[in-house]
Amino acid sequence: QVYVGQSGGGLVQAGDSLRLSCAASGRIFSTYATGWFRQAPGKERELVGAISRSGGTTYYAAPVRERFIISRDNFNDTMYLQMNGLKPEDTAVYFCAVRSRVGTSAYIEPEDYDYWGQGTQVTVSS
């Protein structure tokens, strides 16, 4: 069983920055793709961004493009989400996702992933 843990998040003001971290057990980060999703109250879980296993390919959802940056440190089995220029509409629970199936792409659908973090709340006040 793979354990996926998250850290970061909190309450910030519009325009501030936050960084989320995601770590997984089992030395799997370097083998599999990972991603970030978020879910706001009353809404479905949506992709924030995804990164391939090598880190060479990234994909960002339109609402966060140019503001958020995904990166990964395969040596330390950790993925990051740097969130800049936060807006109130970014308020949501953010989830880290890890794919345990072979592939070299960045994957954008929730069903592409097999393991999920516990979620961390990000709240942006106006």
Side-chain angles (χ1 to χ4, degrees):
Q1 183 66 29
V2 174
Y3 173 77
V4 180
Q6 300 178 219
S7 61
L11 172 63
V12 297
Q13 293 186 334
D16 286 350
S17 298
L18 275 178
R19 190 175 81 158
L20 306 182
S21 299
C22 172
S25 63
R27 302 293 299 176
I28 64 172
F29 259 41
S30 61
T31 306
Y32 301 120
T34 53
W36 289 98
F37 289 77
R38 67 186 182 185
Q39 188 167 17
K43 296 187 177 181
E44 294 187 354
R45 189 170 297 189
E46 64 178 10
L47 175 76
V48 175
I51 187 167
S52 63
R53 66 182 185 182
S54 70
T57 300
T58 54
Y59 177 89
Y60 296 94
V64 307
R65 209 164 286 159
E66 307 297 333
R67 298 187 296 123
F68 290 11
I69 301 171
I70 294 176
S71 61
R72 60 190 294 156
D73 177 352
N74 285 344
F75 183 79
N76 291 303
D77 289 337
T78 305
M79 176 179 63
Y80 303 97
L81 178 66
Q82 178 66 43
M83 303 184 290
N84 302 317
L86 282 160
K87 303 176 180 180
E89 52 263 43
D90 294 319
T91 295
V93 177
Y94 285 69
F95 296 90
C96 166
V98 179
R99 174 182 169 91
S100 66
R101 287 162 275 167
V102 174
T104 59
S105 301
Y107 297 87
I108 65 173
E109 300 293 340
E111 52 265 32
D112 291 328
Y113 294 90
D114 304 292
Y115 299 101
W116 293 83
Q118 77 276 18
T120 186
Q121 178 70 45
V122 173
T123 302
V124 185
S125 63
S126 58

